[in-house]
Amino acid sequence: MDRVPRNSSRIGPRYPQVVVLFGATGDLARRKLLPGLLHLLSAGFIPDCRIIGVSLDDIDAATFRQIARTAVEQSELRKGDLAGHWDAFAGKLDYVPLSAGPAKLKAAVDAAEASIGGECRLVNYLSVPPNAALAAVKMLSEAGLVAHCRIIMEKPFGTDLASAVALNQHLHEVFSEEQIFRIDHFLGKEAAQNILAFRFANGLFEPIWNRTFIDHVQIDVPETLGLGKRSAFYEQTGAFRDMVVTHLFQILAFMAMEPPTALAPEPISEEKNKVFRSMLPLSPENVVRGQYVGYRSEEGVDPESDTETFVALKCSIDNWRWAGVPFFLRTGKRMAEGQRIISIAFREPPKSMFPPGSGVGAQGPDHLTFDLADSSKLSLSFYGKRPGPGMKLDKLSLQFAMHDTGRAGDVLEAYERLILDAMRGDHTLFNTAEGIERLWEISIPLLENPPPVRLYQPGSWGPKSVHQLVAPHAWRLPFERAWRDPNTAGA
């Protein structure tokens, strides 16, 4: 059964697409990309499509089709798309092993375009490790598949300023910046985009979205998962490079940017880049690095590794709107809960008329909280009078969940949304070369002089020193009050 209306093609590309998927047998392709492409086709978002898998595996097209079917069968989100759609989708899949070379790839693309039989567009998705990305770019160049195409790239976009600049230079030797789509799946989430709607469509909140009314901001993305099979990658990156420069800073820009002149790619990218240009260099004394106990015993990890699996930091935006407002960011592996929230703390009233013991201030300031998880929730906390005699106040909240709209089934998975945007040539939710290089530039003091790694227990909230970092405030996670279940009677 389709999860979205079939008249939704207006947000999809105008022309059929040929997708060259590098890393087609890898983890991301199996979990997200192949099930997502099947869904986009079966739901009518894409007029037509051909998918050419490319990877190191020396297999044929029939084997690749079986890999794709298994991937969809194991996908809880898109398993329903198999019914009535698999045979048509399987006929659109082809495969070229990397060892076959550029000529074979060019022949496969030519055959795919011929089978469509009309005007179409080419999208190259590089779902490969960073050290393989430039090899894929070289293969596309040698195959003559550069003109009039688009290329989607996965993070990390360098590991420091020098490597990011070098990567962009190599890319720009083959592709123009307009052809490059640096993907960040956090920005493809419905909740992340809802920040723009919440801020700029409501006269209630935009006037108070500044240093006069906001005391501090937290962006908190703890994870319960460990490394899995990513130890070799993680040893070279760590939590800061893996999560902060890409995901958390990008979410910060959505939250902090000025109103764009239009809801269009260039104005939004420009306002995001203004935020990055206004960020002050990261000071090592405002950063806590951690490593969970047992990390050094993981397979593929140096027994004396100094790689952080946790990072918390305080950063500042030195502009008119945000001067003096600290932004606290935290993320880590093997932590107590898996959450993805933005929490905005409003300033408390300068003077209280309520008597001691009334409860005012006992539970901290009012907060606006965005939950960026797939369930997508929003909460506004405030003080209200407790029913009964006297003047006792309790912390109350207004809450909204995506299920409240009755349209939770219409939500596209983040990668699906971003693939559609790239096919349409819409850069709104993608990173730019300028933005990435600026973020590495402000990271130089931290990367050159990182603070020592502090140990923390798996299942905790990180090293104890994170509390000094955020003082005199407190971390919003763990929540004192759970989100209300919209399915519970009386909620």
Side-chain angles (χ1 to χ4, degrees), residues 243-266:
M243 290 291 293
V244 177
V245 177
T246 50
H247 301 323
L248 272 64
F249 279 160
Q250 300 300 323
I251 292 294
L252 181 151
F254 261 32
M255 186 270 159
M257 72 183 192
E258 296 297 317
T261 57
L263 190 65
E266 288 188 8

Side-chain angles (χ1 to χ4, degrees), residues 193-207 209 259-260 263:
Q193 297 165 56
N194 202 34
I195 296 171
L196 297 180
F198 190 87
R199 280 193 61 188
F200 301 127
N202 295 296
L204 177 62
F205 290 101
E206 180 55 26
W209 210 267
L263 190 65

Side-chain angles (χ1 to χ4, degrees), residues 49-112:
C49 188
R50 300 292 184 273
I51 300 162
I52 302 167
V54 181
S55 80
L56 291 170
D57 294 315
D58 191 12
I59 58 177
D60 58 15
T63 304
F64 176 55
R65 292 185 188 108
Q66 185 55 52
I67 290 172
R69 183 179 180 93
T70 301
V72 177
E73 288 174 342
Q74 294 175 349
S75 170
E76 292 299 322
L77 186 64
R78 297 308 183 206
K79 188 182 299 183
D81 289 318
L82 276 172
H85 297 294
W86 172 254
D87 289 342
F89 184 70
K92 301 177 187 298
L93 299 177
D94 197 2
Y95 184 83
V96 176
L98 201 64
S99 59
K104 288 288 187 182
L105 178 58
K106 175 70 163 87
V109 171
D110 288 345

Side-chain angles (χ1 to χ4, degrees), residues 382-406:
F382 55 91
Y383 283 100
K385 183 183 178 301
R386 182 187 302 174
M391 183 56 76
K392 290 286 187 179
L393 280 75
D394 290 325
K395 211 57 181 282
L396 309 174
S397 66
L398 298 172
Q399 294 190 5
F400 161 81
M402 186 62 65
H403 293 285
D404 296 337
T405 66

Side-chain angles (χ1 to χ4, degrees), residues 348-372:
E348 297 186 69
K351 185 172 176 62
S352 176
M353 67 180 184
F354 297 95
S358 64
V360 170
Q363 298 184 54
D366 300 338
H367 283 86
L368 175 64
T369 303
F370 293 89
D371 186 337
L372 302 183

Side-chain angles (χ1 to χ4, degrees), residues 29-30 43 62 126 164 194 211 268 434:
R30 293 173 189 249
L126 273 55
N194 202 34
R211 60 189 296 273
I268 290 178
E434 177 190 341

Side-chain angles (χ1 to χ4, degrees), residues 173-373:
E173 288 173 0
V174 180
F175 297 99
S176 68
E177 180 65 16
E178 289 72 24
Q179 292 177 280
I180 303 170
F181 293 78
R182 299 171 186 82
I183 197 168
D184 179 352
H185 72 273
F186 267 49
L187 297 186
K189 293 180 176 297
E190 194 78 19
Q193 297 165 56
N194 202 34
I195 296 171
L196 297 180
F198 190 87
R199 280 193 61 188
F200 301 127
N202 295 296
L204 177 62
F205 290 101
E206 180 55 26
I208 62 171
W209 210 267
N210 55 60
R211 60 189 296 273
T212 304
F213 298 97
I214 293 177
D215 184 77
H216 66 277
V217 178
Q218 295 181 26
I219 302 176
D220 214 348
V221 186
E223 297 179 296
T224 57
L225 299 175
L227 300 185
K229 299 179 180 179
R230 302 176 70 218
S231 58
F233 165 78
Y234 210 80
E235 269 289 89
Q236 302 300 316
T237 54
F240 178 77
R241 289 179 170 92
D242 184 39
M243 290 291 293
V244 177
V245 177
T246 50
H247 301 323
L248 272 64
F249 279 160
Q250 300 300 323
I251 292 294
L252 181 151
F254 261 32
M255 186 270 159
M257 72 183 192
E258 296 297 317
T261 57
L263 190 65
E266 288 188 8
I268 290 178
S269 292
E270 175 57 21
E271 296 305 333
K272 284 177 58 185
N273 287 338
K274 285 181 182 178
V275 173
F276 299 148
R277 290 196 291 268
S278 299
M279 290 177 67
L280 296 177
L282 299 180
S283 177
E285 60 260 28
N286 290 330
V287 179
V288 175
R289 297 169 68 234
Q291 185 185 95
Y292 66 78
V293 174
Y295 171 77
R296 295 177 183 178
S297 301
E298 301 265 10
E299 183 179 354
V301 173
D302 184 342
E304 298 182 356
S305 174
D306 193 43
T307 300
E308 80 278 359
T309 62
F310 169 98
V311 64
L313 58 93
K314 178 171 70 173
C315 60
S316 301
I317 301 173
D318 190 23
N319 63 16
W320 190 275
R321 183 182 292 263
W322 297 113
V325 177
F327 287 73
F328 298 101
L329 281 58
R330 179 173 65 168
T331 186
K333 299 288 188 184
R334 300 289 301 276
M335 296 183 69
E337 294 179 20
Q339 296 278 3
R340 297 171 179 177
I341 71 159
I342 301 175
S343 188
I344 299 161
F346 294 100
R347 295 193 184 278
E348 297 186 69
K351 185 172 176 62
S352 176
M353 67 180 184
F354 297 95
S358 64
V360 170
Q363 298 184 54
D366 300 338
H367 283 86
L368 175 64
T369 303
F370 293 89
D371 186 337
L372 302 183

